[in-house]
Amino acid sequence: MKVTVYSCRSFDEKELFEAYGNRLGIELVLCPDGPDKENAYLAEGSECIDILTTQMTKELLKVFAGYGVKYVTTRTIGYDHIDIKAAKELGMRACLCYEVSDRDGKEKAREAVMENAEFIRCALKD
């Protein structure tokens, strides 16, 4: 499985994504910038993109769908920045995943990464 992580923060997320990606056999592309038309090519071959607060409009979702992305996960408090209706129309699934941060301790951060990875596995079976 390949996942492209956008807005990947080097100060609290990158190390955890790398560690658990390796452990779980997930090929990761880590991008420090938010998803946009210019860097969407990074998601080519990825089944999933993981984002923060970037507005995922129908137009932007179409670009990612064109690269074969089927799942959009967001590691934020809410998901109102994703056009859920457009995602569904494009055959994509979108969901809220746990935030990946160690501000509440390394164990909570590990749990969040594991939860995100487990969701992706379950969604792939669906």
Side-chain angles (χ1 to χ4, degrees), residues 56-58 61 79-88 94:
M56 297 301 290
T57 63
K58 184 173 186 174
L61 289 167
Y79 56 89
D80 58 343
H81 54 288
I82 302 172
D83 186 338
I84 301 294
K85 182 181 174 194
K88 187 173 184 176

Side-chain angles (χ1 to χ4, degrees), residues 2-6 29 31 33-49 51 54 56 59-69 92:
K2 181 178 174 185
V3 176
T4 302
V5 179
Y6 287 94
V29 176
C31 178
D33 303 314
D36 59 32
K37 291 178 187 176
E38 287 73 38
N39 64 21
Y41 72 92
L42 294 171
E44 186 168 15
S46 292
E47 295 174 77
C48 176
I49 60 169
I51 65 168
T54 302
M56 297 301 290
E59 183 179 325
L60 189 53
L61 289 167
K62 278 184 184 179
V63 173
F64 282 96
Y67 282 112
V69 173
M92 302 170 88

Side-chain angles (χ1 to χ4, degrees), residues 97-101 107-117:
C97 287
Y98 288 103
E99 176 184 355
V100 179
S101 170
E107 187 56 33
K108 287 291 183 187
R110 285 186 196 95
E111 289 173 15
V113 171
M114 295 299 289
E115 181 74 21
N116 288 340

